[in-house]
Amino acid sequence: IDEVELGKLVSADLAIHADVADVLSGLIAHVSPRLHSPWRQRIRVWQDEDATRITSSSSPADNASLSVPTAIRSLFNATRGESTLVVDVGQCQMWAAQFYSATSGKPFITSGGLGTMGFALPAAIGVQIACPEDEVWVLAGDGGFQMSLHDLATVAQEKLPLRIAVFNNGYLGMVRQWQEMLYDGRYEATPLVNPDFVKLAEAYGIEALRAETPQQANEAIAQARKHEGPVLMEFRVVGEGPEGNVYPMVSAGCTLDEMIRQPVPVASVKETVR
């Protein structure tokens, strides 16, 4: 709606100076609905087939190593899907979609497939200000969180009751997964040197918790939900191997029919790509 922005950085073939609501209302009248019924049915079949895997993999022993799916499933069990989720980019984004059943009508806010790392924390600040009565959770990987962790200052200053879950696996997880499966584990620029997230939050006067097992995750989530102010939870999670990878996965150059839907030997993945 700011006319001076039109053509400022990118030349437009057709520049429209109007409120987006008015523009979309006009465009919708010229668009025919497409339901994509066969594709949606195929997705439902995959969801049904994967239901057992998802349920079993998210119910480990209390003292087992903590995985991201386990932590997210614990969050769902605690909130029953009644919380607003703002998720970052990468593995945690996909695991959140799989293991947190956002069926209660509460928003599931994501930057989408071309999203920017670091999206979750600043976006959640806006969500919490707009919906002060909502229980808002930030889900972010350690890499993405470091892109915008300075916004903890805003959270503290405005006393926003955000629940911030940082999944610390010591890697840029999505890129690491590709390097593991397709490049013989030659990790380049994916291992991370992280700060002590608990001490960082405490430096801002924010309540901070840490969990390394499923039982500790349950306790941290329960404690965070009782706290009236902002809380940061560091979940130290599995970084490598089958539990550190997210599925389904479509390798570069492959079609959806070649989707990898569960852990397979690395050699099989590389052969598929060839």
Side-chain angles (χ1 to χ4, degrees), residues 215-245:
Q215 180 61 37
Q216 291 174 358
N218 289 333
E219 294 169 354
I221 291 168
Q223 187 173 340
R225 299 190 73 211
K226 294 177 182 177
H227 187 69
E228 294 184 359
V231 184
L232 182 143
M233 287 145 288
E234 179 193 7
F235 295 108
R236 292 196 170 179
V237 295
V238 177
E240 297 184 78
E243 286 190 318
N245 293 335

Side-chain angles (χ1 to χ4, degrees), residues 87-101:
V87 301
D88 215 87
V89 173
Q91 289 181 318
C92 67
Q93 183 182 33
M94 286 179 272
W95 273 318
Q98 292 176 331
F99 290 88
Y100 194 95
S101 302

